[in-house]
C-alpha cells in the first residue's frame, strides 16, 4: 500500500542556543555550554548581557528556555 504507515511530520522548532552552538568554533561552543550549565555563576540575564557585549545576540528568555528543556533541544539527546 502506498499510504500504509502515513504519519504526520514531527515538528522541529528552532532553538537560538543550538543555532548559536552551530556557528561557534569548538572551543567557544564548549565555553558557552559550560556557561549555560552553570546556573549559580551565570543567571540568564547576566549571561545574555555578557554575550551581547561580545556581539553575540541572544536573549535571557532563550537561555532560560534552553536550560529548562522547553526548547526543541529538550526532545533531542545530545543538545
Amino acid at each position: 500500500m502506498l499510504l500504509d504507515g502515513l504519519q504526520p511530520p514531527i515538528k522541529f522548532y528552532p532553538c537560538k542556543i543550538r543555532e548559536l552552538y552551530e556557528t561557534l568554533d569548538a572551543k567557544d561552543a564548549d565555553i558557552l555550554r559550560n556557561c549555560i550549565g552553570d546556573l549559580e555563576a551565570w543567571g540568564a540575564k547576566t549571561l545574555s548581557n555578557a554575550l551581547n557585549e561580545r556581539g553575540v545576540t541572544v536573549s535571557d528568555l532563550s537561555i532560560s528556555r534552553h536550560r529548562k528543556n522547553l526548547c526543541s533541544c529538550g526532545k533531542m539527546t545530545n543538545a
Side-chain angles (χ1 to χ4, degrees), residues 5-77:
L6 184 64
Q7 297 288 323
I10 297 171
K11 294 180 182 181
F12 187 71
Y13 299 100
C15 172
K16 179 68 177 179
I17 304 301
R18 184 179 62 247
E19 291 172 1
L20 182 55
Y21 287 147
E22 293 169 357
T23 65
L24 298 172
D25 66 33
K27 185 175 179 181
D28 283 339
D30 285 341
I31 291 169
L32 181 59
R33 277 188 183 87
N34 289 333
C35 292
I36 293 285
D38 191 349
L39 280 69
E40 289 185 33
W42 288 103
K45 186 68 171 175
T46 303
L47 181 55
S48 172
N49 289 340
L51 291 169
N52 286 319
E53 287 174 7
R54 292 174 182 251
V56 179
T57 304
V58 62
S59 73
D60 57 317
L61 180 59
S62 293
I63 293 169
S64 293
R65 289 182 56 78
H66 187 79
R67 283 177 166 173
K68 295 174 184 174
N69 290 321
L70 297 175
C71 62
S72 58
C73 295
K75 295 171 179 42
M76 299 172 65
T77 57

